[in-house]
């Protein structure tokens, strides 16, 4: 067991609150867990040396102003170095929406929150168990039946030097309700965080979801977004990740009801010696479910990308339609991409497909654009952007798409192509 995990187990003993029954279950699993190594399939290409014996002495500063997203009106929940920042968070909530801090949950809400906590997120996620044990800061978001919450909720986790944070979000979208949630992690300094969110989407409800893992450099982040879909519920999720010394996101979607629909788009852009790891698991447990998953990545210099996408069709999930596609561009002969799409099918009346491609920029297209007066760098930016712009265009929120595009162009322009 790692020195850091030993410290986690010791610290968790002092956490005592209304979530303690669930924390004890996760602690029991943690005590028996083995630290992931190269022989651990789920961590085969993602070394944990950076955090294995890490020691975080505490943030040097908590002064971390969070910028608004231009053109976006949002309900902001801001956490700085793991602590809720009321001054930077929104105070007004529309009718039908309630947001409660973990430490302030009412007796009336404790029953369902306790039952849902760590129930949607699978117990196989080691760092999810760590989050179960240590997350005392976070929020419970509840949308009542038939409520259409038009203003997006933006959950921001800002980290500064030497910070360690473990935040948790639990979201319940009741019958025929709709909600938009943006998860955003910021900060390039040496730090570590586990940010996990669980979403329970009821019958005929819909969730528009975004996760922006745009931290880089020395930051370390291991988190996840986990969804349970009921009858006829809909999920539209978009994720964008930049690499860092350690950046991993686990996504789990369970089709727990019939006629559920899930659309997942993901983009990752890596440079230098950055690492980004995306693991997704789609569980089709009921019939007539649909999943569309598209993942695109661009990897430059000596960076490493990892994608593992698994679609599991259970025996009773007849009439399932599922498709998984991972496309990658290598910008350097030293860059590495490890991709593993999986289909596991036990039903006989389904339509499923999966595929993965790894390629380089077409030299003919590059030459053509240079012959029209563009520099090599300009041509590469345009070709790269064209490769992922289709997924950006599919974002339902136009303000987020417009905010993201210049950041992607700036990222392309700095990429070291060899």
């Amino acid at each position: 067991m790692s020195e850091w995990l030993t410290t986690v187990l010791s610290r968790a003993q002092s956490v005592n609150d209304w979530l303690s029954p669930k924390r004890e279950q996760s602690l029991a699993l943690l005590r028996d867990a083995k630290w992931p190594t190269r022989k651990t399939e789920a961590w085969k290409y993602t070394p944990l040396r950076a955090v294995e014996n890490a020691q975080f002495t505490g943030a040097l500063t908590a002064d971390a102003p969070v910028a608004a997203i231009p053109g976006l009106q949002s309900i902001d929940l801001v956490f700085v170095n793991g602590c809720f920042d009321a001054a930077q968070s929104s105070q007004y909530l529309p009718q039908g929406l309630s947001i409660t801090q973990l430490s302030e949950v009412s007796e009336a809400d404790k029953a369902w929150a306790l039952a849902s906590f760590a129930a949607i997120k699978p117990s196989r996620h080691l760092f999810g168990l760590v989050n179960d044990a240590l997350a005392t800061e976070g929020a419970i978001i509840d949308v009542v039946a038939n409520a259409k919450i038009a203003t997006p909720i933006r959950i921001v986790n800002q980290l500064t030097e030497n910070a360690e944070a473990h935040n948790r979000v639990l979201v319940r979208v009741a019958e025929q309700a709709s909600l938009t949630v943006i998860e955003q992690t910021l900060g390039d300094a040496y730090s570590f965080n586990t940010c996990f969110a669980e979403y329970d989407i009821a019958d005929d409800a819909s969730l528009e979801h975004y996760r922006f893992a745009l931290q880089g450099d020395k930051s370390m982040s291991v988190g996840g977004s986990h969804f349970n879909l009921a009858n006829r519920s809909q999920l539209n999720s978009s994720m964008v990740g930049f690499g860092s010394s350690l950046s991993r996101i686990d996504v789990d979607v369970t089709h727990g009801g019939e006629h559920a629909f899930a659309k997942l788009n993901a983009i990752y852009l890596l440079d230098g010696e950055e690492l980004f790891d995306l693991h997704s698991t789609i569980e089709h447990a009921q019939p007539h479910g649909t999943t569309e998953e598209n993942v695109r990545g661009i990897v430059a210099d000596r960076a490493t990308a990892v994608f593992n996408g698994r679609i599991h069709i259970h025996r009773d999930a007849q009439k399932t339609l599922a498709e998984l596609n991972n496309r990658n561009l290598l910008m350097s002969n030293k860059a590495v991409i490890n991709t593993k799409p999986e289909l596991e099918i036990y039903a006989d009346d389904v339509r499923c497909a999966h595929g993965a491609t790894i390629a380089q920029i077409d030299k003919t297209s590059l030459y053509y654009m240079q012959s029209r007066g563009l520099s090599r760098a300009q041509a590469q930016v345009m070709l790269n952007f064209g490769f992922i712009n289709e997924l950006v265009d599919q974002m339902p929120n136009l303000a987020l798409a417009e905010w993201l595009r210049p950041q992607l162009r700036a990222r392309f322009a700095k990429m070291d192509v060899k």
Side-chain angles (χ1 to χ4, degrees), residues 116 118-129 131-132 167-172 183 194-201 207 209 211 222-229 235 237 239 248-255 264 279-282:
S116 300
I120 300 171
K121 172 187 64 60
S123 60
R124 67 176 179 273
H125 298 307
L126 175 71
F127 289 91
L129 297 175
N131 189 275
D132 292 347
N167 297 101
R168 186 60 156 268
V169 176
L170 178 61
V171 181
R172 179 173 65 170
E183 300 177 52
T194 65
C195 298
F196 283 83
E198 297 181 282
Y199 298 87
D200 189 5
I201 309 171
L207 173 69
H209 171 261
R211 183 155 185 157
V222 182
S225 299
H226 311 278
F227 309 89
N228 183 62
L229 308 182
L235 167 66
S237 177
M239 300 190 182
R248 169 152 171 163
I249 300 176
D250 282 275
V251 180
D252 293 274
V253 179
T254 299
H255 288 251
L264 296 92
H279 271 59
S280 70
T281 300
I282 314 298

Side-chain angles (χ1 to χ4, degrees), residues 11-36:
R11 289 161 51 195
Q13 300 300 324
S14 62
V15 180
N16 185 16
D17 58 9
W18 63 279
L19 284 168
S20 291
K22 284 297 182 77
R23 299 190 195 280
E24 285 299 324
Q25 295 175 14
S26 296
L27 274 173
L29 294 173
L30 270 178
R31 293 187 186 100
D32 295 333
K34 294 182 179 179
W35 186 253

Side-chain angles (χ1 to χ4, degrees), residues 63-142:
D63 184 16
V66 174
I69 295 178
L72 179 73
Q73 182 181 359
S74 60
I75 300 168
D76 291 345
L77 295 177
V78 178
F79 297 87
V80 177
N81 296 331
C83 298
F84 178 65
D85 189 334
Q88 297 195 76
S89 300
S90 303
Q91 304 299 318
Y92 169 76
L93 299 180
Q95 186 175 1
L97 170 68
S98 66
I99 301 176
T100 309
Q101 297 304 306
L102 284 184
S103 58
E104 301 174 356
V105 178
S106 67
E107 292 297 326
D109 288 335
K110 282 182 180 179
W112 77 262
L114 188 61
S116 300
F117 187 87
I120 300 171
K121 172 187 64 60
S123 60
R124 67 176 179 273
H125 298 307
L126 175 71
F127 289 91
L129 297 175
V130 170
N131 189 275
D132 292 347
L134 294 181
T136 57
E137 293 275 357
I140 294 179
I141 301 171
D142 196 13

Side-chain angles (χ1 to χ4, degrees), residues 149-168:
I149 309 301
T151 306
I153 298 174
R154 184 172 70 131
I155 305 166
V156 182
N157 284 281
Q158 172 82 57
L159 289 103
T160 61
E161 185 75 22
N162 261 314
E164 181 178 348
H166 306 278
N167 297 101
R168 186 60 156 268

Side-chain angles (χ1 to χ4, degrees), residues 9 13 51 61-62 99 111 129 131 133 221 261 294 350 373 396 405 411:
L9 292 173
Q13 300 300 324
V51 72
T61 177
I99 301 176
L129 297 175
N131 189 275
S221 177
F261 173 84
N294 288 285
V350 300
R405 285 191 178 97
R411 180 80 168 167

